[in-house]
Amino acid sequence: MLRNGDQKTVKRKNEDEKSSQTVNIVKKQKSAANHSFFTPTTSALNTTGELQKTENVDAKSNSETVETSYNPRLIGEALVESTKQMVDLMMMLNANAFSYIPKATLQASFDIIKAGEAYYAVEHGAIHSKTVGENKSSLLNTYLIQNIDTGQYFILKAYTINDDDQLLAKIQDEIKLLIKAKQFVAQVDDRSFNKTFYIIKTYAPGLSLKDAMDQGVAKLNFNEKVEVAKKVIETLMTLHRDSKIIHCDLKLENIVLNLETMEVQIIDFDVSLHMDENEQASTKEIRGTFKHLAPEIIAQSKDGTYVYNKKTDTFALGVALAEWLELEDYLSDDFEQNELLLTQTASNLFTSKLLPPQQETALKAVRGLMDPNDSTRLDLASAFELLSDKKLKTVATFS
């Protein structure tokens, strides 16, 4: 026969287990990109709750919301208040030495982290892990978390720091960049207890453009892909103009597409830089993915100082859009030579060029963005205008 206390414990565990089973519905998509995260499906995610006011934040989420009638809770609604009380008790008994409470301590199904006045349940298992810092002696684990009051999802970055002041400085710089990009939510410093520093940032619902292509989820025609490309260009222009940030690692893996709203968001500011008064930034290390590096960055390698600016981001975006619009094959020297040969020797036989008008105009924009000469490289506004050309609005579409 169970005593009252035992009955409450069993009831609590059963309700948590039901919540855990329910939330497994959302684990259907998982990214294989560098910024790996899975996306709760639209039918299973309600992001209409406002961003909670926590440390260093007093604003609503900048992400688009998706309204739905179904919202799986990691912590059952009946257990929210008791869970918060237990977290507060644990923190008080330990003189607020830590803010991350393991599930075993709480007799719950999920770990809980408190930031300011908000409480978050932490999904099981890191969605991305990597070694970071000097000599790769520290660790970064990334988790999906849920505000237990609103049901809204966020990203938790947990840095386990092993006596690395340089890494700590980079983390503080990352926070400043996230604030500028309106993606910062809160920070929690538990280093005195478990050497871990936590960053909570907004969650971008959807898939990276890389995953959308690889998994065949976004079955968009060519014109629709162009519209997405234009939104990416606008987002980067805003990042440069308003936030004064040079991303330094633009690629399809770092651009998220919300398949419900068709809005895009640029993510991952781990290696980003602040612009100075000359709209550029210098660093002693190469930042970004080699395939997307502008030629002038590679040319600077002998000097040991690398200067990034809006044009280096523009080149990287051109590489990404060439992949997104499936124009990479048309950028090779062999293709350009073949195109010239066909035009010169068979002009009487062919009434059109190798590419349809839609793709031809888009290719012109991509080539302009990828101009190896930074002084003549196409700027973002001009690329946007090219992609808005009425030639792209013809009836024919290309998958």
Side-chain angles (χ1 to χ4, degrees), residues 81-98 101 105-106 114 119:
E81 291 304 318
S82 59
T83 298
K84 290 160 67 173
Q85 291 171 7
M86 181 66 74
V87 169
D88 290 341
L89 177 61
M90 292 294 103
M91 292 178 64
M92 182 186 69
L93 292 176
N94 291 276
N96 293 320
F98 53 83
I101 316 295
T105 303
L106 297 170
K114 183 180 180 182
Y119 302 76

Side-chain angles (χ1 to χ4, degrees), residues 87 228 382:
V87 169
V228 172
S382 298

Side-chain angles (χ1 to χ4, degrees), residues 96-288:
N96 293 320
F98 53 83
S99 299
Y100 191 104
I101 316 295
K103 61 183 179 181
T105 303
L106 297 170
Q107 296 185 3
S109 295
F110 297 92
D111 297 351
I112 302 291
I113 184 170
K114 183 180 180 182
E117 298 301 317
Y119 302 76
Y120 303 90
V122 183
E123 273 282 10
H124 300 310
I127 51 182
H128 182 53
S129 298
K130 66 178 180 180
T131 55
V132 293
E134 189 175 2
N135 300 320
K136 302 294 183 181
S137 60
S138 298
L139 182 66
L140 168 61
N141 287 315
T142 304
Y143 302 88
L144 188 66
I145 62 175
Q146 184 187 54
N147 184 305
I148 67 174
D149 284 307
T150 68
Q152 188 174 359
Y153 282 92
F154 297 88
I155 293 293
L156 175 69
K157 300 182 71 174
Y159 286 93
T160 302
I161 306 171
N162 291 315
D163 301 321
D164 190 340
D165 293 336
Q166 187 176 6
L167 175 59
L168 185 60
K170 287 184 177 180
I171 292 171
Q172 294 297 340
D173 198 50
E174 180 185 353
I175 290 173
K176 293 177 182 177
L177 289 163
L178 288 171
I179 291 172
K180 281 186 173 183
K182 299 179 181 180
Q183 295 183 19
F184 177 74
V185 178
Q187 61 179 318
V188 174
D189 189 351
D190 276 3
R191 284 178 297 150
S192 62
F193 179 74
N194 60 8
K195 296 185 176 181
T196 305
F197 192 101
Y198 301 95
I199 296 176
I200 299 174
K201 64 178 187 176
T202 56
Y203 168 71
L207 285 175
S208 73
L209 294 189
K210 179 66 173 175
D211 284 347
M213 291 188 69
D214 291 348
Q215 298 177 17
V217 176
K219 297 185 181 300
L220 307 178
N221 61 43
F222 187 78
N223 284 349
E224 290 169 334
K225 284 189 171 184
V226 167
E227 290 304 311
V228 172
K230 287 165 59 180
K231 290 182 179 181
V232 176
I233 291 175
E234 287 183 301
T235 303
L236 181 57
M237 289 173 66
T238 301
L239 192 69
H240 287 166
R241 182 187 64 244
D242 298 344
S243 301
K244 303 297 181 184
I245 291 175
I246 305 169
H247 190 275
C248 300
D249 196 20
L250 284 167
K251 53 187 176 182
L252 295 186
E253 290 88 338
N254 288 338
I255 303 168
V256 175
L257 173 65
N258 186 321
L259 298 176
E260 292 297 317
T261 65
M262 296 307 291
E263 294 301 315
V264 300
Q265 183 172 333
I266 294 173
I267 61 171
D268 274 4
F269 295 88
D270 297 31
V271 299
S272 300
L273 294 168
H274 302 272
M275 289 184 189
D276 60 18
E277 62 276 7
N278 297 317
E279 296 190 329
Q280 61 184 28
S282 300
T283 176
K284 293 293 184 182
E285 57 187 8
I286 288 183
R287 301 188 177 212

Side-chain angles (χ1 to χ4, degrees), residues 22 26 226 385:
T22 302
V26 307
V226 167
E385 289 180 8

Side-chain angles (χ1 to χ4, degrees), residues 37-54:
F37 59 88
F38 66 82
T39 306
T41 58
T42 305
S43 62
L45 177 60
N46 181 348
T47 57
T48 57
E50 290 185 359
L51 190 66
Q52 297 299 297
K53 291 183 180 179
T54 56

